């Protein structure tokens, strides 16, 4: 199984990526924004078995990635418990 995890932030997707795991079956890719993530996701059709997104994408971003891949790759996204909202808001504001 090929697993791709995308994290959104001040990244350059051409250099901010790393394959790990047995046979490099897991890849982490840093993307600068949702538009770049959608383009990369399209290129993963036929390559990745699953895409997992960092929490910065949220539900709507995950939906846009699903649409970009025409629903051909399962897409999940990381979230956190409600009691952590203040900490995340402080960190990312």
């Amino acid at each position: 199984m090929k697993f791709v995890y995308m994290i959104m932030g001040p990244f350059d997707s051409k250099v901010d990526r790393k394959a790990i795991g047995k046979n490099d079956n897991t890849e982490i890719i840093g993307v600068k924004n949702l538009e770049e993530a959608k383009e990369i996701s399209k290129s993963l059709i036929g390559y990745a078995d699953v895409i997992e997104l960092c929490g910065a994408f949220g539900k709507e971003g995950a939906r846009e990635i699903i649409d970009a891949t025409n629903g051909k790759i399962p897409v999940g996204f990381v979230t956190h418990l409600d009691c952590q909202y203040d900490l995340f808001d402080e960190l990312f504001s």
Side-chain angles (χ1 to χ4, degrees):
M1 177 179 347
K2 183 68 170 183
F3 177 86
V4 174
Y5 180 75
M6 276 195 255
I7 185 167
M8 190 163 30
F11 299 108
D12 177 348
S13 64
K14 290 178 179 41
V15 295
D16 294 322
R17 53 176 60 212
K18 180 73 175 172
I20 62 172
K22 185 176 183 181
N23 300 320
D24 292 336
N25 64 344
T26 301
E27 189 169 351
I28 302 166
I29 304 173
V31 297
K32 64 184 171 193
N33 56 39
L34 181 57
E35 292 307 311
E36 182 178 40
K38 290 192 295 189
E39 289 305 311
I40 290 171
S41 295
K42 289 176 191 177
S43 75
L44 297 174
I45 296 171
Y47 173 74
D49 295 304
V50 63
I51 298 172
E52 187 72 24
L53 307 169
C54 77
F57 285 87
K59 286 181 183 179
E60 290 309 311
R63 288 181 211 278
E64 289 195 40
I65 299 297
I66 292 166
D67 289 345
T69 60
N70 296 314
K72 294 183 179 182
I73 305 172
V75 175
F77 67 99
V78 176
T79 189
H80 54 271
L81 297 174
D82 291 348
C83 64
Q84 296 282 293
Y85 277 121
D86 290 342
L87 292 171
F88 276 91
D89 287 345
E90 183 181 326
L91 179 64
F92 292 109
S93 62

